[in-house]
Amino acid sequence: MGDSEQLIELRGVKKAYRTPAGDFYALRGIDLTIRPGEFVALSGRSGAGKSTLINLISGIDRATAGEIWIADQAIHRMNEEKLTRWRGRQVGVIFQSFQLMPMLTCVQNVMLPMDFANLYKSPKERVARAMHLLEQVEIAEHAHKRPSAVSGGQRQRVAIARALANDPVFLAADEPTGSLDSKTADAVFAVFEQLVAAGKTIFMATHDRELAARAQRIVHIEDGLLVEDA
Ligand SMILES: Nc1ncnc2c1ncn2[C@@H]1O[C@H](COP(=O)(O)OP(=O)(O)O)[C@@H](O)[C@H]1O
Ligand SMILES: [Mg+2]
């Protein structure tokens, strides 16, 4: 491809889940282009296919058909081992339920992806980077607490810092504000806006149309098909 105007490119992407009643197509042919620096909201009702699409773009799951190109890499052609390595290095994922390790402190949670990717070699460098990321999301004062000792909004900030650990090419967020009250959700959304202003690319699934409307661009999914791109 070699076209720097597209960071993420999906062509005819389908995803079937095996069910006792036969294959169920959660995605039925998705074409989508996301440019570097875009903040794209993926809106749609529960069951529309948002998480499935997030999981494919972030390499958590594999497409049944179609092509997924990210930063000129053919994700759909990678074997399991290559995909795992690519994901650890190139993608930052943020979930509704934060998914922090409860036995680790906040700063240790942020360092964890660095330990796997081995990009920042010395432990000193990793601590410094993790603290810097926690400062960026304004949570550094809680760095040495465990996640259970901070609020939901603060946990999501830690999860965002963790997603940034290896300086990924994009962030994928699946209902990142779904567990938060509206004021806290606003503050987390503001963190995303700051990251986009600093040049990050974000793809955020949400069933909240009001929140989606505040992103730069909305793509709407219904029954496994994109129906709108505004
Ligand atoms: N592992 C699975 N096995 C079978 N069906 C699934 C599985 N995961 C999701 N689905 C189905 O795929 C559709 C899309 O699900 P999902 O991507 O989670 O939607 P959303 O995130 O928009 O709520 C739904 O009908 C859901 O029931
Ligand atoms: Mg979902």
Side-chain angles (χ1 to χ4, degrees), residues 201-219:
T201 307
I202 299 181
F203 189 52
M204 176 191 76
T206 178
H207 66 269
D208 182 345
R209 283 207 94 160
E210 227 173 275
L211 188 73
R214 291 168 51 192
Q216 286 168 359
R217 176 179 162 201
I218 310 179
V219 295

Side-chain angles (χ1 to χ4, degrees), residues 67-193:
E67 299 184 2
I68 302 177
W69 295 84
I70 299 178
D72 291 336
Q73 298 247 35
I75 307 308
H76 54 287
R77 288 194 202 130
M78 288 183 184
N79 64 27
E80 219 53 58
E81 191 194 334
K82 198 161 178 228
L83 189 66
T84 303
R85 224 175 320 124
W86 172 82
R87 186 173 69 223
R89 173 61 191 86
Q90 302 288 357
V91 192
V93 192
I94 297 149
F95 302 96
Q96 175 172 358
S97 55
F98 324 127
Q99 302 204 6
L100 298 170
M101 302 288 283
M103 300 306 285
L104 299 180
T105 63
C106 292
V107 67
Q108 286 169 339
N109 267 283
V110 177
M111 288 168 66
L112 204 54
M114 298 182 207
D115 297 342
F116 287 119
N118 210 23
L119 186 62
Y120 305 96
K121 302 276 180 215
S122 77
K124 221 172 137 183
E125 195 182 354
R126 293 179 194 187
V127 175
R129 177 167 174 78
M131 286 306 299
H132 171 75
L133 291 169
L134 288 170
E135 271 159 32
Q136 213 182 321
V137 297
E138 294 171 19
I139 193 83
E141 63 192 283
H142 301 295
H144 302 293
K145 294 180 184 167
R146 286 190 181 170
S148 57
V150 302
S151 72
Q154 290 169 333
R155 280 179 217 174
Q156 196 57 302
R157 286 171 190 264
V158 175
I160 294 169
R162 179 186 57 185
L164 293 167
N166 292 319
D167 194 23
V169 294
F170 73 100
L171 295 181
D174 193 358
E175 308 272 3
T177 62
S179 308
L180 307 175
D181 64 73
S182 64
K183 193 162 161 250
T184 311
D186 274 355
V188 165
F189 189 83
V191 173
F192 285 141
E193 287 177 321

